[in-house]
Amino acid sequence: MKMLSPRAHGFVDYAVAALFLLAPSLFGFGGLPETLCYVLGAAHLAMTLLTAFPLGAAKIIPFPVHGAIEATVAVLLVAAPWLFGFDEEPAARSFYLVSGVAVGLVWLATDYRSSYATTTASARYRPEHRSFS
């Protein structure tokens, strides 16, 4: 059973983007983990704004594609301390591990196939929506 609707997921996404952008200051880490946080925060914000769901602005990225990207990011977040060599920095390592698990749990709880997320780029190009006049 999926507990998060596309709308609720949108609110979570904006909070996640803000958390990534604030994390280096809140948890006191710098260097590469800090830079990755800023990149991830900006990328997550951009993806959220471009997603075809109730809180998306441009509605370009289909919601299921958004979900696939988040599933991949969840795994990469957990692996990031070892992939990027900051596994000896406790604050950064803990932040990335917890963030990866949290993003994974949000992914598991979200209904990416909901009929509530109906506005997609592909829907605009279906034959029944075309005018041949």
Side-chain angles (χ1 to χ4, degrees), residues 4-21:
L4 285 178
S5 69
R7 182 174 179 78
H9 183 99
F11 288 115
V12 171
D13 273 352
Y14 286 111
V16 166
L19 180 61
F20 272 103
L21 294 170

Side-chain angles (χ1 to χ4, degrees), residues 15-109:
V16 166
L19 180 61
F20 272 103
L21 294 170
L22 295 171
S25 297
L26 292 173
F27 303 111
F29 53 84
L32 182 58
E34 175 186 31
T35 302
L36 284 174
C37 266
Y38 294 142
V39 169
L40 287 165
H44 202 82
L45 178 60
M47 183 174 72
T48 301
L49 289 168
L50 294 173
T51 296
F53 71 148
L55 296 182
K59 301 190 187 313
I60 295 169
I61 301 170
F63 195 42
V65 171
H66 175 110
I69 293 168
E70 283 185 340
T72 303
V73 168
V75 173
L76 291 174
L77 285 169
V78 170
W82 293 273
L83 286 174
F84 297 106
F86 58 86
D87 55 303
E88 298 294 324
E89 299 177 42
R93 181 186 63 235
S94 296
F95 173 76
Y96 279 85
L97 290 173
V98 170
S99 295
V101 170
V103 169
L105 290 173
V106 168
W107 177 78
L108 285 171

